[in-house]
Structure formats: C-alpha cells, structure tokens
C-alpha cells in the first residue's frame, strides 16, 4: 500500500493524467487511437490564405517583443518565404518573399524565444486571423525550418488537462512499439476465418497511429478505412467471444430443476376458470392455520388478501370437492385468473418453463411493451418454482412498483400459498425494524415461498433457505453489481434468472450487448385495449388541457399529470410539481388532486398512491416516480409537462400508464418552447415520433437512432466504453461476422480466443458476466 502511494506521488503531472485516462499498460496506450488527424506533410501559402484557414509555411523572424498590454504576451513578426523549387535549399538567393504575419503567444517559455530569435528561419502552422488587416496567428506550432516535414499524418488524441499532445503522442508510440515487438498484436483470427479486406491487426493499429499522407483524411475520420474496419471487427469479436464464454461458464453451473410438466390443457384452454376440478388435500389444514401466515402484513397487504379471497371464494369451493390428486399452484393460479393469457404470453411461459426445468441456470430477458402483461408471466414462473419446493425472489427498482407487484402477487398467490402453509414476504428499505425482522425470518426459514421487494432483497442479512428463481423487473434500472449480488445468494447452486424490461431492445443491440442472454418477447397486447391518442401541444394551451381534464373527471375517469425530474436542481423539480398541483387545485375546485414526488416520506407516497389506485383521487400530479409499472386501469388521460425534456423510451413508459382499461385514453405531450420560443430539432423529432407510433419496438429503434447505444442503455448498463470503435448502426455486417465466428473460434482455437478477449477487455470481463 505504502509503496503504491509513494510511486503515485512520484508520478509527473502528465503521467498522472495518462493514468486518469486509463492509459497504464502498453496495450492501453497502443489502443488509444487518434480522434482525428492533421495534415502537416505539406506546406501551403500564407499569401493566398483566407481568414480561418489553417496554413503551414516557412518564415524568417523579423522582430520579437514581450509586451504587457492588454496582457503579457510574446509578439513576433515574421516574413513568409517560399523556396524556389529550381534551387537548392542552401542557396539563400533562391528565396521568394511572401506575406508578413504577426504571431502572438500568451503562454511561452524561454526555449520558444530562442527558436524565434530574430533572423531564425522557422516552419509555422496555425489558423490565420485578420486576413484583411495584417495576418495574425495565435499560438502557432513552431519548428525550425530545417526539421524535415513529417511523412505521415499527425494524429490528434483525446486528452485531458496537463497532458499535451506531444507527450501523449510519444507515450502512445512507445507503447505501440513495445506491443509490436512483443507480439501483442499477433493474429488471433485464423486466416481461414478472415475476410479478404481484413488488414492484419498490427498493420492496422500502426497505420492508424501514423497514416501515410496519401490516404483520405475523410476515410479515416468516418472510420471507413480498412484499418478502422479491422479494429471494429476486432472489438466486436472480443465482445461476442467474452459473452459466449460467460454463457458457457454459466452452462457449467448447476441450478435446481423447477416445475413439473406444465399442464398444457390449462395453459391453452379458452376458459381456465372451473375447467379443472381437483381435490386439494391442503385445504383442510390451511383453514386451521390461518393465523400462522401473513406475518407482519400491513393494512394494504391485508386488503389485497381480502380482495383475492372474495374473488376466489367460489372456485375454492369447487376445488375442495373432487377427488383427483392435488393440483399445482401453477394450475390453480391459471384457474383463478380473471383473464385468458394471450398467445404471446402462453409462448413465453412455455419458453421459461422449458428453461427452468433444466439443471443449468436460466438467463433470460423477458421483454414486452408496456402493459403487455409481463407480471402474470413472472408469477407463473414463480409458482413453478414454488411447486418444486424452492423460493423465488422478485426485485423491483422502486418501492411503489415493488409494492404494487407485492399486492398483485399476494392477491393471486396468497390464498394458494396459505393452503400450503407458505406465505409471501415483503422487504423494503423503509419498513419497520420489527416487520423487517419477521420477514427475514420467514425468508430464511423457507416459509416465504416468494419474497418481493426493492434492492433491500440483496442485502447481506437476507438469507434464503432455497432460492430457485430470481425475477428482476425493469432490469435496466439496476446496475450490474446488484444483479451479481442476487446471484450470489446461494453458495453452491445458481438460481435461475428472469429479467423483465418494457424497453424493448432493438435487434442489433440485443445481438451485441445481450449476446449471451436468451430473449423472450411478448409481442401482443391483451385484447380490448384502445389505442392512446397522443397530442403534442404548447404549454401556452394549458387552459385547454385543464378543460380536458375536467371532462375526464366528469366521466368518472382519472388523470395523471407528470412533471419532469430535473436532476441538477431538485428544488426546481419540486416547485414545478407543487405549482402545478396548486394551479390544478384552484382550477378544479371540489376535485381531489394529489401530489407525489421523490422527496416525500415513503409512507405519504404510499397513501397518495393508494388513494389514486382506489379511485379516491381524480388527478395525480407527480414527478417521474410513477414512471414504471404503475397500473390503474381507470386512468384515461396522461399530461406530460415539459415533454421535450424526456427521453423517448421514458415518454413511452409514461404513456403506457393510460389506456390500460377499455376507456378511450389520451396522452398530452405539453412542451415549453422556452425563451427563444422554439423547440429544438431533436426535441421536435422525438415528440413527433411519439405522436406517430405506439409500438414500443419502433420507439426504441428511433430512440436508439437519436441517442446512440450508450445513452440508450444507460451508462451503467453498457459498461463504460464497451464499444469504442464499432458503431452498431453502421457496423452490422461486422457484428454478424463476429457473431458467426465467435463460437467457432471458441470451439476450435480456445487459446486464440482467450488471447483475443484479454487483449481487448482486460479487467472489464467481470462486468460482462453479470
Ligand atoms: P407490464 O407488461 O407493463 O408489466 P402488467 O403485467 O402490469 O404489464 O399488465 C398490465 C395489465 O394487463 C394488468 O392489469 C394485467 O392484470 C392485465 N393483463 C395481463 N395479461 C392479460 C391478459 N392476457 N388479458 C387481459 N388482461 C391482462
Ligand atoms: Mg410491469
């Protein structure tokens, strides 16, 4: 420890800056490829240069002064000269004199003064200013006139404060040299798999650092040059390989086999309810043990329980009478569902059950548009897990969402679990210590067949008796570390993992970032949904919007009004929501208008949410806390204020809060045109896309186009700089190539594959496994 501290302290400023950029090893330096290039290989004419043009010319120094007004600066007068091509360099007579020019330097060192001493001949490079009234160049690059012109284009690297280009260039070239000498760039792609236009790697890297002057700067800049193509191919291959390897490692792990044969008749039958009648031998027992279940339930939960019971009363009766063997929780759940699963839901349920039946851990993403019904699919996975005697955990990103799941699942499952002396446990950061303790106990004893909560479920004190299945809702909201933590809950067995997302991932992204993930897609909405009419309006029409709200309220409907969350300023965020709340309270007298924002105590949030869910509140003014998953079918109008500040996927999520019931629903995207009275081009594009389509996949595709993959996935998710060179929108061909090559390479040339991965990913590999 002490030695590293010391060695850190002894680093020079540029060395520290290199570290800060993550450029420590030779290979990091060698792979720090230029941002752009400058052509210093030829001279141009100062005399004919116009304002703003970059020139490189020879000149003789006429005068040099340090002046102090308006601030300290070095002012140098030079006279351009041109060498007559006919004469040799050494004959001074062969000079043709050109323009005069003033050079100004605000930062300068004695060495510069020496190079620019009167009478010296120099080569200068910089941007011409004041072409009309005496030419000036600020801070030109200066070389002695004798220095030969470079033969290669000059790379410009991304850098940071305290790290001059000259220093980073030298460091990069040194690193590159060593890498080439030590064979770090030796081929890992057997020639058999190569493509004809694929440059050797060493050649490509070298070329990109020192491209010859005959190459088109444009091809380099837009990365279409074969040298760039090679690097993109390399990078995509590394990514595919590492994900594939992670997948193979996972296949080596053991997971519990879950779920008996799913009763097909029940999954597909048109009418589940009452379709099967069977004895339930647990029923009698459970009646006597009612008091043992439901430890620490709060009133919301008790209520959910009550609801479900009433609904299921009749069916329970039927169940007790027949004389077949006990039926599974899964079949029972299917029987009590008030709706029929869509074809898409049936398909994904099958996909999941065939995964969890195996003794290798499932690693599956369940994606489906907002409102497509992912929760019931997750619940059916949970029951299969429970039927096999294992526990299941469901983690949601916010307390509101987690609680909503909790209530819903509780409503569905509690009566069924009670019959088996099992319960559903609830874990959250805000719960009382005593309740929490009780929940931890039922979790570790195994009595809690299902544990639902926020990231509280991954805390260390949470112990499971036999965790078989992990469900993660809105998985993009969780970090990799949190996913890893859940997987570590069982020391010698790996639970199955099902992640859910309402932000569908376009194909190229799925192929790339989720190459090792199996994907199930619900591509159909439950029947009876009416499309949400989307309107884009200026916030100058607020009054009209409020009138619309009034109409909906008179029809007995409910309304959401969402204000943006401004991260830099929580204060503004709050003002925005509270002001709107006040305004609406005044404009809509006699109506119950609620307010919900992230700074409220959890208890209050819950009360507000509950009042809205139960229909006791007409309008809910909220910051984006309601973004995900909230399900209130009676809500028919969604107003989004400052819609221009939201991302597309977020808008889509928000809009998905309405149109959940049969009522005609609408979404008003209200934009503020700001002081300049105009909406930016991208903002306009985004809002238009929203009004144009309701297809989550289409919206995700456009969002990806507008924001690029990094932002689309969120920095956490994409892992910093996972793809530095390849661009998923333009390099699909290489992605396909890498995808088909990766398994072959891993199979037939495992050592080469290993080398390839570590060259590219080094220490980032852990992240790819999560
Ligand atoms: P999401 O995929 O956004 O999580 P939910 O699971 O919350 O969607 O489902 C949205 C609503 O649709 C819920 O009220 C749910 O009970 C209902 N639902 C789910 N599947 C069906 C179906 N097959 N038929 C009718 N309603 C359904
Ligand atoms: Mg959901």
């Amino acid at each position: 420890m002490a030695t590293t501290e010391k060695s850190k302290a002894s680093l020079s400023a540029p060395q520290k800056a290199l570290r800060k950029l993550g450029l420590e090893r030779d290979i990091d330096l060698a792979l720090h490829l230029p941002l752009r290039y400058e052509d210093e290989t030829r001279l141009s004419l100062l005399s004919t240069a116009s304002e703003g043009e970059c020139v490189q010319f020879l000149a003789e120094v006429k005068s040099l002064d340090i002046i102090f007004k308006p601030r300290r600066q070095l002012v140098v007068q030079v006279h351009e000269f041109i060498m007559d091509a006919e004469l040799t360099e050494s004959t001074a007579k062969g000079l043709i004199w050109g323009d005069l020019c003033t050079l100004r330097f605000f930062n300068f060192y004695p060495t510069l003064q020496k190079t620019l001493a009167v009478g010296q001949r120099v080569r200068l490079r910089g941007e011409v200013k004041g072409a009309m009234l005496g030419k000036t160049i600020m801070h030109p690059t200066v070389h002695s006139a004798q220095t030969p012109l470079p033969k290669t284009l000059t790379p410009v690297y991304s850098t940071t404060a305290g790290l001059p280009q000259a220093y980073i260039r030298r460091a990069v070239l040194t690193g590159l040299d060593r890498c080439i000498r030590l064979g770090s760039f030796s081929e890992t792609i057997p020639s058999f798999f190569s493509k004809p236009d694929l440059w050797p790697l060493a050649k490509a890297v070298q070329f990109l650092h020192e491209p010859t002057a005959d190459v088109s700067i444009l091809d380099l800049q837009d990365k279409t040059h074969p040298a760039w193509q090679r690097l993109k191919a390399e990078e995509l291959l590394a990514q595919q390989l590492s994900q594939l390897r992670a997948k193979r490692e996972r296949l080596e792990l053991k997971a519990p086999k879950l779920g008996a044969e799913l009763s097909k008749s029940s999954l597909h039958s048109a009418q589940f309810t009452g379709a099967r009648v069977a004895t339930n031998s647990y029923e009698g027992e459970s009646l006597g043990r009612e008091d043992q279940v439901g430890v620490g339930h709060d009133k919301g939960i008790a209520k959910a329980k009550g609801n479900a019971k009433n609904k299921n009363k009749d069916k329970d009766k039927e169940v007790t009478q027949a004389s077949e063997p006990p039926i599974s929780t899964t079949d029972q759940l299917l029987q009590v569902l008030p709706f029929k699963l869509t074809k898409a839901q049936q398909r994904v349920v099958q996909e999941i059950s065939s995964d969890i039946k195996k003794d290798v851990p499932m690693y599956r993403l369940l994606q489906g548009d907002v409102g497509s019904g992912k929760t019931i699919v997750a619940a059916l996975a949970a029951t299969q897990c429970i039927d096999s005697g294992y526990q299941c955990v469901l983690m949601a990103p916010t307390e509101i969402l987690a609680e909503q799941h909790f209530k819903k699942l509780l409503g569905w499952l509690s009566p069924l679990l009670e019959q088996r002396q099992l319960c559903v446990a609830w874990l959250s950061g805000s719960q009382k210590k005593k309740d929490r303790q009780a929940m931890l106990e039922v979790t570790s004893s195994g009595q809690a067949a299902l544990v639902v909560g926020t990231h509280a479920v991954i805390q260390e004190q949470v112990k499971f008796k036999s965790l078989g299945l992990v469900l993660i809702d809105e998985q993009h909201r969780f970090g990799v570390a949190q996913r890893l933590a859940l997987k570590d809950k069982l020391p010698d067995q790996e639970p199955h993992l099902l992640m859910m997302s309402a932000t569908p991932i376009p194909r190229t992204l799925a192929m790339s970032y989720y190459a090792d993930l199996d994907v199930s897609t619900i591509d159909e909405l439950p029947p009876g949904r009416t499309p949400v009419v989307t309107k884009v309006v200026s916030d100058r029409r607020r009054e009209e919007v409020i009138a619309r709200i009034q109409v909906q309220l008179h029809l007995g409907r409910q309304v959401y009004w969402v204000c943006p969350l401004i991260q830099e300023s929580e204060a503004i965020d709050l003002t925005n929501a509270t002001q709107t709340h006040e305004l609406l309270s005044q404009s809509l007298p006699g109506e119950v208008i609620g307010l919900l924002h992230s700074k409220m105590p959890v208890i209050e949030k819950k009360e507000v949410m509950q009042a809205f869910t139960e229909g006791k509140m007409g309008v809910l003014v909220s910051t984006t806390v309601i973004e995900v998953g909230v399900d209130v079918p009676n809500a028919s109008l969604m107003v989004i204020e400052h819609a221009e500040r939201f991302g597309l996927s977020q808008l889509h999520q928000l809009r998905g809060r309405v149109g959940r019931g049969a009522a005609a629903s609408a979404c008003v995207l209200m934009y503020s045109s700001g002081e300049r009275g105009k909406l930016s081009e991208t903002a306009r594009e985004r809002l238009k896309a929203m009004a144009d389509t309701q297809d989550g996949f289409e919206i995700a595709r456009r969002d990806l186009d507008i924001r690029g993959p990094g932002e689309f996935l969120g920095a956490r998710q994409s892992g910093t700089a996972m793809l530095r060179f390849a661009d998923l929108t333009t390099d699909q061909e290489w992605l396909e190539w890498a995808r088909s090559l990766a398994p072959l390479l891993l199979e037939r040339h495992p050592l080469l594959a290993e080398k390839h991965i570590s060259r590219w990913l080094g220490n980032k590999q852990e992240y790819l496994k999560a």
Side-chain angles (χ1 to χ4, degrees), residues 339-342 345 368-376 404 408 412 473 502 526-527 529 629 631 633 657 660:
F339 49 75
K340 175 181 183 302
L341 293 185
T342 61
Q345 282 171 321
D369 212 340
V370 191
S372 61
K374 294 182 289 293
T375 318
I376 182 60
Q404 181 182 298
K408 192 153 215 164
W412 281 334
D473 197 18
R529 299 271 162 86
D631 187 25
R657 299 307 109 214
R660 306 203 134 217

Side-chain angles (χ1 to χ4, degrees), residues 695-750:
D695 176 349
F697 281 88
E698 174 62 17
I699 286 172
R701 199 187 59 68
R702 294 205 197 179
D703 205 16
L704 179 66
D705 278 352
I706 298 173
R707 292 197 291 168
E711 243 189 285
F712 177 84
L713 291 171
R716 270 204 308 204
Q717 174 107 28
S718 55
T720 41
M722 280 265 298
L723 282 182
R724 289 189 286 165
F725 310 122
D727 175 340
L728 294 177
T729 38
T730 55
D731 301 324
Q732 285 190 32
E733 220 174 289
W734 284 120
L735 181 58
E736 307 265 1
W737 169 84
R739 231 165 87 91
S740 56
L741 174 54
L744 297 175
L745 200 59
L746 214 54
E747 200 65 51
R748 299 191 205 158
H749 304 277

Side-chain angles (χ1 to χ4, degrees), residues 407-642:
K407 288 183 181 166
K408 192 153 215 164
L409 292 169
L410 209 78
W412 281 334
L413 297 178
S414 261
L416 311 180
L417 294 180
E418 277 172 29
Q419 299 165 6
R420 294 162 169 82
Q421 297 169 36
L422 297 170
C423 67
V424 183
W426 163 250
L427 280 172
S428 87
S430 71
Q431 82 197 128
K432 286 202 201 91
K433 214 169 165 198
K434 208 173 107 238
D435 293 345
R436 185 179 169 76
Q437 200 48 46
M439 291 299 160
L440 287 177
E441 269 162 34
V442 288
T443 304
S444 64
S445 74
Q447 198 198 347
L450 175 65
V451 180
V452 184
T454 57
H455 41 255
V457 302
I458 58 173
Q459 272 149 15
E460 208 166 315
Q461 313 92 289
V462 186
K463 300 267 187 291
F464 292 87
K465 180 156 179 257
S466 57
L467 182 60
L469 175 67
V470 172
L471 305 167
I472 302 184
D473 197 18
E474 304 299 339
Q475 59 97 24
H476 59 283
R477 297 275 221 108
F478 287 102
V480 168
Q482 288 164 317
R483 295 212 299 262
L484 281 175
L486 252 183
K487 285 167 38 142
D488 283 347
K489 282 285 172 198
L490 276 194
D492 38 275
Q493 252 190 344
E494 188 80 0
H496 297 280
L497 181 60
L498 180 68
M499 296 176 268
M500 290 174 266
S501 170
T503 308
I505 296 153
R507 203 178 95 85
T508 42
L509 270 194
M511 272 167 59
S512 163
Y513 287 95
Y514 300 103
D516 66 336
L517 201 64
D518 297 308
V519 179
S520 288
T521 305
I522 307 184
D523 51 6
E524 170 188 12
L525 291 179
R529 299 271 162 86
T530 43
V532 180
V533 178
T534 303
K535 288 258 153 59
V536 180
V537 306
S538 155
D539 63 358
R540 276 176 248 140
R541 290 167 59 190
R542 195 178 294 260
E543 294 300 314
E544 281 170 57
V545 175
I546 294 174
R548 248 182 121 144
I549 293 181
Q550 193 124 44
V551 173
Q552 289 305 308
L553 293 176
H554 281 156
L555 290 172
R557 302 288 172 203
Q558 289 165 279
V559 178
Y560 291 103
W561 186 302
V562 179
C563 303
L565 186 88
I566 303 164
Q567 253 150 11
E568 311 89 77
S569 162
E570 272 160 2
I572 300 182
D573 154 32
L574 239 129
T575 325
N576 198 335
T578 41
Q579 276 174 356
T580 304
H581 180 248
E582 265 169 41
L583 174 74
L584 290 180
S585 304
Q586 282 162 17
S587 327
L588 302 165
E591 296 292 346
V592 184
I593 318 281
L595 175 64
L596 192 67
H597 59 75
S598 50
K599 289 278 149 318
M600 272 161 62
V602 173
I603 268 289
E604 274 178 47
K605 272 196 232 174
K606 279 188 192 167
E607 281 168 10
V608 171
M609 215 43 235
Q610 191 166 338
F612 192 71
T613 313
E614 289 171 1
K616 292 179 186 152
M617 181 183 285
V619 184
L620 178 61
V621 178
S622 154
T623 55
T624 41
V625 278
I626 62 151
E627 179 192 341
V628 283
V630 177
D631 187 25
V632 180
N634 189 45
S636 60
L637 176 61
M638 160 75 59
V639 180
I640 304 177
E641 189 157 0
H642 282 298

Side-chain angles (χ1 to χ4, degrees), residues 362-379:
M362 168 172 73
Y363 194 63
R364 190 172 277 279
L365 176 70
L366 171 59
Q367 58 176 11
D369 212 340
V370 191
S372 61
K374 294 182 289 293
T375 318
I376 182 60
V377 173

